Amino acid sequence: MSVVEERTRVGATVQGDVKDLNLAESGRARIAWAKSYMPVLTQINERFEETRPLRDVRIGACLHVTTETANLMLALQAGGAKLALCASNPLSTQDDVAAALCEYGIPTYSIKGEDHETYYRHIESVIATKPQMTMDDGCDLVTTLFTKHSDQLGDMLGGCEETTTGVIRLRAMEKEGVLPYPIVAVNNALTKHMFDNRYGTGQSTLDGIIRATNVLLAGRVVVVCGYGWCGRGIASRAAGLGAHVVVTEIDPRKAIEATMDGYHVMSIAEAAVIGDVFVTVTGNYHVIRGEHFKLMKDGAIVCNSGHFNDELDLDAIAEMALRKTQPREFVEQFELHDGRKVCILAQGRLINLAAGEGHPAAVMDMSFANQALCAVYLAQRHKELEKRVYDVPLEIDEEVAALKLSSLGISIDTLTPEQSKYMASWSEGT
Ligand code: ADE
């Protein structure tokens, strides 16, 4: 079943399901603020206004509803797309932004703190608009379409996926031969993961932890579980704030990298004993479990910045605890039998978007420029594509980098003809 709610405001009918349309004014102001840090997306928006490359393409988006996402939606709208948006996480919605988007004529279905049933009802509302293209962050839209709306799959031109976890799920579908339409893995563009995953997650995760707890990190032991691009970013930012950083890994190559980057590497069981703050960013399941909670110090703070909320075994800590209190909005304190307290932040949901505002606009600028250009690529080239997961075309990745660099006022060198020839040859030796 899908529901399209209509809420009427003086003189205007808007579609969507948001907390409060009266928040729209604050949303508009904050969207404009974020735009001022998104020069690449702004240029693309202006180009789209002239060329309308997405004219009448119906796009269903399931993304974190933030000021940055709003600017992506407005760029796609400028390009002529017909949009509907829902949240890709129940806790990441900025309610004022959702309200403003409805008023901009983009049906938006998302409310911060929505329950599981509402979350999926909102995805259904987007699917009810009969999208021809999906834009996902975590792959929930694609899997819901695939499992519940196979009748709509024939109309699909393609989709874009924003995040590592989503790409992993889509590759699993591809491997099983059930990927329903071509997908561009936006996450895999260098101009996405090298910056968004590293500097974006690095800064926003620590911002989320600090906003949630006001903890001082200097001199504390921060344990980062997972040393992919996100883990690297969190580790370097935590070290920058004076923390002693411990990294845990399952991949020996990344473990060596973390060691040579200057961090202590050990197993989670060893880290559990000494850690003050724990962050999971592995994309995996039950990374911190009962056996680890048991070893933690009184006052340990545990959170997750990976896409899904199953990196922490929350049932285990709930079972182990005598009682639970909530001293601050995003902090739940579990008191264990011996009196020790372990704090879980934001119900194990991604701390950077639940307690913070997600990555800063300046980094989402490149991620969402890739999304916008890949949507055009799919609209123009879908007939040539198979039901596969594709990397972002190199020209798009390079164009985004060139636009960002120029917006920063930075110039770089180009190869001389002699150098180009040299790089293309094999005959020059010692
Ligand atoms: N993912 C991480 N940060 C984000 C942001 N600010 N907006 C949308 N998606 C995000």
Side-chain angles (χ1 to χ4, degrees), residues 43 90 97 100 154 168 180 208 212 242 258 279 332 388 411 419 424:
Q43 271 195 56
V97 171
I168 290 170
V279 193
E332 286 174 315
R388 283 181 34 210
S411 33
Q419 287 171 328

Side-chain angles (χ1 to χ4, degrees), residues 224-229 231-232 235 245-268 270 282:
V224 182
C225 302
Y227 204 63
W229 288 101
R232 291 177 182 120
V245 176
V246 170
V247 170
T248 75
E249 246 305 330
I250 47 99
D251 182 332
R253 299 161 303 173
K254 291 183 185 166
I256 297 171
E257 185 188 359
T259 307
M260 295 208 182
D261 284 345
Y263 307 121
H264 306 281
V265 176
M266 59 187 79
S267 68
I268 302 182
E270 289 170 295
T282 66

Side-chain angles (χ1 to χ4, degrees), residues 64 66 68-69 137 352-353 357-359 364 368:
H64 300 296
T66 64
E68 294 74 27
T69 299
D137 186 329
N352 59 339
L353 281 138
E357 292 175 59
H359 306 348
M364 294 311 294
F368 285 166

